[in-house]
Amino acid sequence: LQQRRGLRLSAPAAIQVTVRDALNQALDEELERDERVFLLGEEVAQYDGAYKISRGLWKKYGDKRIIDTPISEMGFAGIAVGAAMVWLRPVCEFMTFNFSMQAIDQVINSAAKSCYMSGGSISVPIVFRGPNGAAAGVAAQHSQCFAAWYGHCPGLKVVSPWSSEDAKGLLKASIRDDNPVVMLESELLYGVPFEMSEQAQSKDFVVPIGKAKIERQGTHVTLVAHSRPVGHCMEAATVLSKEGVECEVINLRTIRPMDIEAVEASVVKTNHLVTVEGGWPQFGVGAEICARIMEGPAFNYLDAPAVRVTGADVPMPYAKILEDNSLPQVKDIVFAVKKALNI
């Protein structure tokens, strides 16, 4: 009625939403949308999740949709894969991806390869999700990035969100996908609020798998990262802009399939490339990006060698000062950019 009278109605404004709440929204909306979707994992039901990602879902959907499991990753991952083979849509939560090593046979040999080995007759629409990479003070066995591990394997899709919009949109897209998806979240981002647009607040919002996002436009150097290091790149870009260096920051969002076209287009514009990741350097995500750029048409536009910023090539130390020095910091990215630009 107000619109008919010519009055202008204000659109819903963007709001601040934590990554934790964005993931919770995505799960809630997809559980409501499709009765085939269910969540299983350790402490996901009555305890509301170890990181409270599944807060309130057990009370709303009950034991058949939100399932607490024993501490047996190989067992419950196998149950989830079997359920996906008969066209349910399980979301299998690992309390951390370090524990997915207990179930890696199920993830790779059962989930990733079944469609190929069955000649396309068996789809496995499953999501393996949970925190990945370094947390804080949990030492070597709980602080490794699995992006390169799972990104190496054909048959999987691998996503790695940074912001709340990434988290919500990628999880919804992953649940709806007919292929197995590994979703690598960051524990250190769960409590971080990000602006969520009006569009992202819709139940129909998804982030397409395989599409990177330019978080900041720039002309002098391309910074490519995924997960938490995207934030470090944004901070480094702010620091460098005060010195007259404008960085283009690409949030990779998806590790496999990789949106190398977005990186190539940026490198053609900036003529310089720096990759940033929390994982180890050897055979890492940055190494793959550099190889793809070298093998493709954008190589001819590089004015200097690409530079990688990675975690240190050591098991994660426990002491905080050593931990900080084992992970990429803003100062490391600034140094790498200046090295690439020879300034």
Side-chain angles (χ1 to χ4, degrees):
L1 183 61
Q2 288 176 315
Q3 286 177 320
R4 288 180 179 178
R5 291 172 178 170
L7 297 177
R8 188 172 183 178
L9 299 178
S10 59
I15 57 174
Q16 293 284 316
V17 177
T18 65
V19 171
R20 173 183 290 109
D21 288 341
L23 291 167
N24 181 266
Q25 286 176 26
L27 286 169
D28 189 9
E29 290 171 6
E30 294 305 303
L31 285 159
E32 183 179 66
R33 175 179 177 272
D34 189 341
E35 65 181 9
R36 296 173 298 171
V37 176
F38 69 97
L39 173 68
L40 78 167
E42 296 151 353
E43 298 183 345
V44 300
Q46 296 187 43
Y47 188 66
D48 280 342
Y51 300 97
K52 306 308 174 193
I53 303 300
S54 54
R55 184 179 61 245
L57 298 181
W58 175 67
K59 290 180 180 177
K60 184 173 182 180
Y61 295 101
D63 291 324
K64 290 187 177 181
R65 307 286 300 282
I66 313 295
I67 303 169
D68 278 331
T69 67
I71 304 174
S72 176
E73 280 76 14
M74 179 176 285
F76 67 74
I79 289 170
V81 172
M85 286 179 173
V86 294
W87 216 239
L88 296 176
R89 291 186 174 271
V91 179
C92 178
E93 177 180 308
F94 295 122
M95 194 176 288
T96 92
F97 259 92
N98 299 278
F99 302 153
S100 77
M101 294 176 72
Q102 304 294 324
I104 203 164
D105 180 62
Q106 302 286 11
V107 178
I108 304 302
N109 282 328
S110 297
K113 298 177 182 177
S114 289
C115 184
Y116 172 81
M117 294 180 72
S118 67
S121 63
I122 299 176
S123 295
V124 188
I126 186 172
V127 180
F128 300 100
R129 54 154 296 272
N132 169 70
V138 292
Q141 293 178 331
H142 297 77
S143 296
Q144 49 209 330
C145 177
F146 285 84
W149 296 56
Y150 289 117
H152 180 64
C153 303
L156 289 178
K157 295 183 178 181
V158 183
V159 300
S160 182
W162 169 55
S163 68
S164 297
E165 286 196 7
D166 291 349
K168 180 179 180 181
L170 285 172
L171 181 51
K172 289 170 71 71
S174 299
I175 292 171
R176 297 181 189 189
D177 201 287
D178 289 338
N179 301 280
V181 181
V182 171
M183 182 159 175
L184 304 171
E185 302 155 13
S186 169
E187 177 185 334
L188 296 176
L189 288 175
Y190 281 155
V192 177
F194 289 87
E195 188 173 277
M196 185 173 281
S197 66
E198 176 192 354
Q199 179 189 12
Q201 295 170 45
S202 165
K203 291 184 178 182
D204 297 321
F205 175 75
V206 294
V207 169
I209 295 174
K211 293 295 181 183
K213 180 185 178 184
I214 297 176
E215 297 288 352
R216 180 184 176 120
Q217 297 280 350
T219 55
H220 296 125
V221 60
T222 299
L223 297 177
V224 186
H226 65 95
S227 192
R228 189 166 174 255
V230 175
H232 296 334
C233 288
M234 295 292 281
E235 292 180 43
T238 300
V239 171
L240 286 160
S241 68
K242 297 175 182 176
E243 301 180 32
V245 176
E246 294 301 328
C247 302
E248 182 145 295
V249 179
I250 296 181
N251 174 7
L252 208 54
R253 282 180 161 176
T254 304
I255 307 302
R256 185 181 185 106
M258 185 178 288
D259 188 2
I260 201 66
E261 292 82 7
V263 181
E264 286 177 334
S266 182
V267 169
V268 166
K269 179 170 67 171
T270 68
N271 310 117
H272 298 89
L273 173 64
V274 175
T275 68
V276 186
E277 63 189 306
W280 295 312
Q282 190 155 321
F283 312 115
V285 174
E288 175 66 16
I289 294 170
C290 291
R292 300 275 284 274
I293 292 298
M294 185 192 72
E295 293 167 351
F299 174 75
N300 296 311
Y301 290 84
L302 281 175
D303 288 342
V307 180
R308 290 182 295 157
V309 180
T310 72
D313 196 23
V314 296
M316 181 63 70
Y318 172 71
K320 178 171 172 47
I321 189 169
L322 295 177
E323 182 181 66
D324 290 344
N325 281 282
S326 297
L327 293 169
Q329 307 294 332
V330 172
K331 62 181 176 60
D332 301 316
I333 301 170
V334 171
F335 178 82
V337 168
K338 291 183 176 180
K339 178 182 178 182
L341 296 174
N342 195 28
I343 57 177

